[in-house]
Structures are given as structure tokens and as C-alpha cells.
Amino acid sequence: MSRQSRTRTGLRPSFDGALAGIAVASTAAVVLGALVQVRYGGYQMPLETVWRALFDRAVWTNPDVLATILLGDGHAELLGVYHDTAVLSDATAVVWTQRLPRVVVAVFVGANLAVAGAIFQAITRNELASPYILGVSSGAGFAVVITIVFSLGTSLLPVAAALGGTGAFLLVYAVAWRGGTTPVRLVLAGVVVGTVFNSLQTGVFYFIDSNGAMRTAVSWLAGTLTGVGWTDVELIVVPTLLVVPVALTAARHLDVLLLGERRARALGMRVETIRFGLSVLAILATAAAVSVAGLVGFVGLVVPHAVRTVVGSDYRRLLVGCLFAGPALVVVADVIARLGLGGVQVPVGVVTGLVGGPYFLLLLRRTESFNEF
Amino acid sequence: MPQRPHTDTDEDPVESAAVLGTDLELGYGDTTVVDCADIVVPAGEVTALVGPNGSGKSTLLKGFSAELAPDAGTVLLDGTAVHDRSPKQLASELGLLAQENDAPGGLTVGDLVTHGRYPHRGFLDALNDADHAAIDRAIDLAGVEHLRDTALSELSGGQKQLAFVAMALAQDTDVLLLDEPTTYLDLHHQLRVMEVVRTLNEDRDVTVCVVLHDLQQAARFADYLVALDDGTVYDWGPPEDVVTEDLLADVFGVDAAVSYDDEPRIVPRRALD
């Protein structure tokens, strides 16, 4: 009997209908969203042209062209693989250099925010925690507005956002620390630091003098994917490749952390060390997303929450689900942000917010008791 | 008030101690809650900590499990200080079932018990055969096999407690501390929990130290009783020696009749002023 159940436990993670459902549905949403995103816009093309552009032999059979597109002219030249991309057809150029990278960035932003949210929900033992709960958003926002006010150059914005977010997080930890931390202390410290930085940010806003700079600042704070390219993909790929495997390995520790601090300690966990390490991991994921897309809201809150209601609170399954559902939400939201209003593009964060609000309304109406955690 | 353990046992209690507290002072901030000269949990026995609310039972347990660093004195586990061990090392030798038992509702009993193997696994280790064996044994011993794939949110309070007991058993330690494991449970599950503890002690020779609220239950199930009064050891020894009408009057402030015919029986009459 015990052997039978052991086999069952062993098999369960590899065959999980709910998780497979999320993966399939999310992948379908990403693919459909990508097709719509690539086809429509200022330069319209029939689906057939899209297809031909995506599988253009001029790109796929020529590694130098592919490398030049992905790495950008400068880096390609540096590596000696530069090839003039003017040889490409208009359709191919639009698809490969403008629309496709935007979809790819959306995928990575969604994955990072969802994973970061899932981790922060375990750390704070609060299923309504978001990646921004420990001050990251306000720190990054402040740094971005400062960068714009002092005209330090828009190329510095990703760095400023990452540094500001990380700085605020460290400050939160320092404020919360008193011979150790607790989830409540961390959240409260997040409120303290967040409030101060938000005030500073609002104050500094008034020193922005040009309308264009104001628009840049606002779209950064709302979270936008307008104008992203392959350089942004490069920026976010590296931290993602680190975060995802480590998070999946740490899933078991997140599960134990969720059992409560005393219990985790009784099981021999160095709670403070693990908690700080996991926070750093989640901050890395958040900073990666923020540096390319700004402060896209609600993704890191809604996605882990929704996935949890489907696959349960086992963190390995939850994180895998987030890796699929996060990209789906951001890709689809970005289609709406870019194409939904005809000519005017809105920041993708506006759309994710519009999706996130009703999700919780639905939850409020349908759920009797909230004890999933 | 006898501060020293009784000497009417076969062996020297300090020699055979699994857990030994010496000149122990435990407290929070500036308040000292526990202040006792010697406290012994004999190896291979079931020891119950009893005492009224605020007498320092749970605090003492926190000192034993190194959750609370003593302000003075030492706690020795198997002869070496608990605080000298790494958390994982300690958790593989000493298990603790705390009072708070909230856990994610979506977790199944099987998942929960698996977490009991935490101290035995490296950061990257998958479950090995020894882990599976310990998990199966713990689930079997706690009698929750039929609940293995049930989510915690669907369990009754008593079933949930048995699941947590199973988790602590999967830890596979030589010493197990339990903080009021039967409080809030119905009678059936109270007895189930205590029977599991008893079996664990008899079959696997695990040293058990359990905080119990119910004096009669403590007298029935434990080999030794430690009666705490206001942070000090009031008395220590076999139940018949410790649970007396004097103890009830002095420590618990209750006028009661105590008798040992075939079973310990405590009949409380009234509260003393």
C-alpha cells in the first residue's frame, strides 16, 4: 500500500492535468497574441506575409543577419558578425526588428514579474503581495524621475530603475531588521520606505520641464513596452536565466517557509538567510522586468494568485504555472495596449491594471472563505 | 520546594538525561519567565511538563529547542549544548511540534509530511529511499494513510494535528518536543495523539517531552512529570509522586481529590483563593 502511494507521489509532478492545462492555454494565448501583434499596426500585412517574414530564409539561413538583428549593429560589429540588414524586405524588417522583440520582451517581463510575485507571496506569507511590496516600485520610480529631471540620458533609465529598486529594497530590510525580521515587519517597512519615496518622486515630478520628458516619466511609471527592441531582450534574458532555475530549485524552501517561521526553524531552516536570499532572487527578477518595461502593475499579484487557485500551493507547480501564465497575460495585455485604441498606444501597465481589478472583484464575489494559503 | 530532581529513581537522572537544563534562565527582553536550577528530560521516557498558565512550560520548550537563547545557563542535548549545533543538525536530532498549526490549505497530508525530511536533505537533494521510508513510516504510525492525498483545508482539527504529528515523526529524531498537542482536540483525537506518542516511545525508543494542559492525561501517559510553578520546578518524578493534592492546591490553586487505584484520578472540587 505504501509502495503504491509512493509511486503515486513520485508520478504526480510529472503528470498534472491542471498544470498542463495552464501551460497549453497560456502558450496558445502567447502564440495568438504574438501573431496579432506582429500582423497589425502602422504597417499592415496579410497573415501570409507575416508567415513568410517570420520564416524568412534571408534571416534563418544567414547567421550573420540573425546575429546582427538580435545583438544590434554595434555588438555585431564588435563580434565581427555584422551583416547589413538593408537586404531584408520591408515586412521582414518590421517583423524582426520592431514587432517580434516587443513580444519577446513581453514574455520575459511576464515570467519575471509572476515568479517574483509568487516568491514575495511566500516570503510575506500574504497571497496578495506583489513584487513591489518591499519598496521596489517607489525606489525605481524615484530613480527614474530623477534621471529624467537631471537629463542623465534615457539609456541610463534601465540601470537607474534597477539600482533605485534594489536600493529601496535594501533600505526596507534595514528598517525592518531588529535582530531578525518577520513578514509583518517587512511589509510595514515596505510601506514606510514606499511612502517616503513616493512623496519624493511626486515632488521631483514638478521639476520636469518638457512635455516629452513628462510623457516618458509617466509611461515608465505606468509600465510600457513601446519602443523596446532586442537590446532590451538581452538586458532581461541574463537575469531570467539565473532566476528561473534557482527559483525552481528553491521551491521546496518556499513551501517550508509557508508553514510558518517557527515550524521552518524547527525543521532546521536558517529562516533569515533563506528569506533574504529568496528576496534578493525576487528583487533580481523584478528589477530585470522594471528595467525594460517600467512599473507594470498587477501581473505579479494576479498571476501567482490565479495559478494558485488552479494548481494549489505547491511551489514547484505554482512557479511552473507562473512561467506560462505570466507571459500570456503580458503579451495579450500588450496587444490591447498597442492596438486596442486604434492610433493611440497606452502603457501596458494600464491594461494589466484594468484586467487585475475585475479579477479581484470576481474573486470577492465568488469565494466564500479565503484560506487557500 | 525541591529544586533538585528526586533521587528515588534507578539511575542518576543527570547521567541518563536526553535533555538537561542547568541554571537555566529564559525570558523575553527584560522579563525572566523561567528560572530553574536543574531540569532533566530522561532518555527513552515520556516526560510531561505541567503547570498553570504562565508557569513557563512553553518557554522552557523554546529553550530546549534553541528557539530562545537562555539569558543564563545551558541546555544540553545528548551532552552538548543545543546552541552549538547548526539548525539542520539540531533539527535532525530534536523535533518540535509547535502549537501554531496553520499551513497552506491546499497542501496535502503527504506533502506536509514530506517537509519533515527537510533537515535530512541538502539544498539540492531530491528525496532518497531513506526519506520515502521515513515518510511512509511516519504516515503509518500517525494513522493518516487514508488522508495522504487529502488537502489540509478539508481535515478536521484532530486530523490536521495527526498530520502535523506525522510531519514531526518524519523528521526521525531521537528526541521529540510537543507543545500542548491535545489542546482544542476532541476526546477521540486527544487519545489518538497520545497513543501515537506512546507507541513512538515504546517501539522506537524516542525520548518525548510534552507540554500538557490536562493533569490527569499527563499522569496517565507520562513516565515522568515536571511540575512548573512560576518559572521554577516545583516537583519532578513519577506521576504518583508528583500529582498530589498538595500540588493541586499549591501550584494550580485547586482543592481536589487525587486517587490512584488502577488509574490516576483527579476530581477537582473548587478553586482556592
Side-chain angles (χ1 to χ4, degrees):
Chain A
M1 172 156 190
S2 58
R3 170 161 307 190
Q4 203 175 13
S5 50
R6 191 190 309 167
T7 327
R8 197 163 58 227
T9 328
L11 282 177
R12 201 180 40 196
S14 54
F15 184 76
D16 187 320
L19 190 56
I22 288 185
V24 170
S26 300
T27 309
V30 168
V31 170
L32 279 178
L35 282 178
V36 175
Q37 192 77 306
V38 168
R39 177 178 176 183
Y40 294 97
Y43 183 94
Q44 297 266 11
M45 52 187 114
L47 207 52
E48 201 198 333
T49 317
V50 172
W51 217 249
R52 222 177 288 138
L54 279 176
F55 297 102
D56 196 334
R57 289 165 137 254
V59 176
W60 288 109
T61 58
N62 193 339
D64 284 2
V65 172
L66 191 60
T68 308
I69 292 172
L70 297 186
L71 299 173
D73 293 357
H75 285 168
E77 235 164 300
L78 211 63
L79 293 171
V81 292
Y82 177 74
H83 191 288
D84 192 3
T85 47
V87 295
L88 301 174
S89 69
D90 282 354
T92 306
V94 167
V95 166
W96 275 91
T97 60
Q98 289 175 23
R99 295 183 182 170
L100 204 53
R102 180 162 176 158
V103 176
V104 176
V105 170
V107 166
F108 278 101
V109 166
N112 276 290
L113 286 178
V115 166
I119 295 176
F120 274 126
Q121 290 177 2
I123 288 171
T124 58
R125 299 192 75 210
N126 173 0
E127 57 178 308
L128 295 180
S130 84
Y132 304 143
I133 193 157
L134 298 187
V136 176
S137 56
S138 36
F142 177 62
V144 162
V145 178
I146 285 280
T147 311
I148 291 171
V149 167
F150 290 103
S151 312
L152 299 177
T154 45
S155 60
L156 274 180
L157 285 181
V159 184
L163 287 182
T166 313
F169 158 73
L170 292 176
L171 195 58
V172 165
Y173 236 91
V175 170
W177 192 271
R178 214 170 78 186
T181 59
T182 61
V184 178
R185 291 184 70 83
L186 281 173
V187 172
L188 283 177
V191 173
V192 171
V193 172
T195 311
V196 170
F197 273 118
N198 276 337
S199 292
L200 289 175
Q201 177 194 307
T202 313
V204 174
F205 233 91
Y206 284 87
F207 293 91
I208 298 179
D209 40 20
S210 86
N211 263 342
M214 186 65 113
R215 197 180 277 262
T216 312
V218 169
S219 60
W220 256 86
L221 296 179
T224 178
L225 292 171
T226 308
V228 295
W230 289 109
T231 45
D232 296 285
V233 177
E234 286 167 42
L235 211 56
I236 196 170
V237 156
V238 178
T240 312
L241 287 180
L242 181 74
V243 166
V244 171
V246 177
L248 288 174
T249 327
R252 182 163 60 88
H253 302 267
L254 288 163
D255 284 328
V256 170
L257 207 53
L258 269 187
L259 295 177
E261 217 161 318
R262 285 195 69 192
R263 195 167 294 289
R265 208 161 273 146
L267 286 172
M269 178 188 276
R270 292 179 191 274
V271 174
E272 293 300 347
T273 314
I274 295 274
R275 182 154 54 202
F276 186 75
L278 289 168
S279 302
V280 168
L281 192 66
I283 290 296
L284 189 60
T286 311
V290 169
S291 64
V292 297
L295 302 171
V296 180
F298 268 111
V299 177
L301 173 58
V302 172
V303 173
H305 196 279
V307 173
R308 185 179 292 112
T309 57
V310 180
V311 303
S313 53
D314 178 89
Y315 255 77
R316 199 146 56 104
R317 270 173 276 164
L318 178 60
L319 287 173
V320 172
C322 283
L323 284 176
F324 284 98
L329 174 58
V330 177
V331 168
V332 172
D334 194 43
V335 169
I336 300 169
R338 176 165 164 263
L339 304 168
L341 290 179
V344 186
Q345 288 198 27
V346 293
V348 64
V350 171
V351 179
T352 54
L354 288 177
V355 175
Y359 169 78
F360 284 104
L361 181 67
L362 202 71
L363 200 72
L364 209 56
R365 292 281 163 212
R366 290 174 84 181
T367 313
E368 293 284 331
S369 67
F370 294 86
N371 58 359
E372 189 59 40
F373 235 40
Chain B
M1 253 188 255
Q3 284 280 323
R4 279 259 155 205
H6 283 274
T7 45
D8 55 355
T9 42
D10 314 343
E11 356 173 26
D12 178 13
V14 175
E15 276 294 304
S16 64
V19 183
L20 172 68
T22 317
D23 300 321
L24 207 52
E25 275 181 40
L26 294 161
Y28 310 92
D30 292 336
T31 356
T32 302
V33 180
V34 171
D35 183 358
C36 58
D38 269 317
I39 185 148
V40 173
V41 178
E45 311 280 359
V46 175
T47 303
L49 296 178
V50 296
N53 290 339
S55 58
K57 303 178 300 260
S58 296
T59 308
L60 191 57
L61 225 51
K62 282 184 188 171
F64 285 174
S65 62
E67 199 181 331
L68 203 61
D71 298 329
T74 50
V75 176
L76 302 182
L77 172 68
D78 254 346
T80 48
V82 286
H83 286 91
D84 290 347
R85 289 171 168 82
S86 76
K88 273 197 172 172
Q89 181 60 37
L90 181 63
S92 62
E93 294 176 45
L94 176 132
L96 168 71
L97 184 66
Q99 240 176 316
E100 62 163 37
N101 276 343
D102 54 334
L107 209 64
T108 66
V109 173
D111 290 338
L112 180 73
V113 178
T114 304
H115 292 318
R117 298 304 293 167
Y118 187 87
H120 298 278
R121 297 167 70 183
F123 196 86
L124 297 173
D125 290 358
L127 289 172
N128 59 28
D129 285 349
D131 292 323
H132 284 297
I135 292 163
D136 289 343
R137 200 168 54 222
I139 286 183
D140 184 48
L141 191 59
V144 288
E145 182 64 57
H146 60 295
L147 301 172
R148 194 168 186 144
D149 293 324
T150 312
L152 290 180
S153 54
E154 290 162 29
L155 302 184
S156 73
Q159 290 173 324
K160 210 187 246 180
Q161 182 68 314
L162 283 170
F164 276 102
V165 169
M167 187 187 84
L169 298 188
Q171 228 173 308
D172 207 9
T173 56
D174 294 333
V175 179
L176 181 60
L177 310 177
L178 303 114
D179 195 357
E180 299 204 20
T182 56
T183 309
Y184 308 123
L185 301 190
D186 58 40
L187 210 50
H188 174 82
H189 284 98
Q190 286 189 22
L191 292 172
R192 283 283 298 276
V193 168
M194 291 315 293
E195 278 158 16
V196 170
V197 168
R198 205 60 256 191
T199 314
L200 183 71
N201 169 255
E202 278 160 15
D203 294 0
R204 303 192 57 86
D205 207 28
V206 171
T207 305
V208 175
C209 178
V210 53
V211 171
L212 285 176
H213 217 70
D214 184 334
L215 206 53
Q216 187 159 306
Q217 200 171 54
R220 277 194 54 202
F221 279 98
D223 302 311
Y224 290 98
L225 248 64
V226 179
L228 291 174
D229 182 23
D230 201 18
T232 63
V233 177
Y234 174 85
D235 202 0
W236 183 94
E240 310 87 77
D241 294 352
V242 175
V243 181
T244 57
E245 288 169 9
D246 285 348
L247 172 90
L248 277 135
D250 289 354
V251 176
F252 289 87
V254 170
D255 177 27
V258 178
S259 61
Y260 293 90
D261 297 328
D262 44 354
E263 290 265 294
R265 193 181 304 270
I266 301 166
V267 184
R269 295 204 197 92
R270 63 190 179 88
L272 297 170
D273 293 328

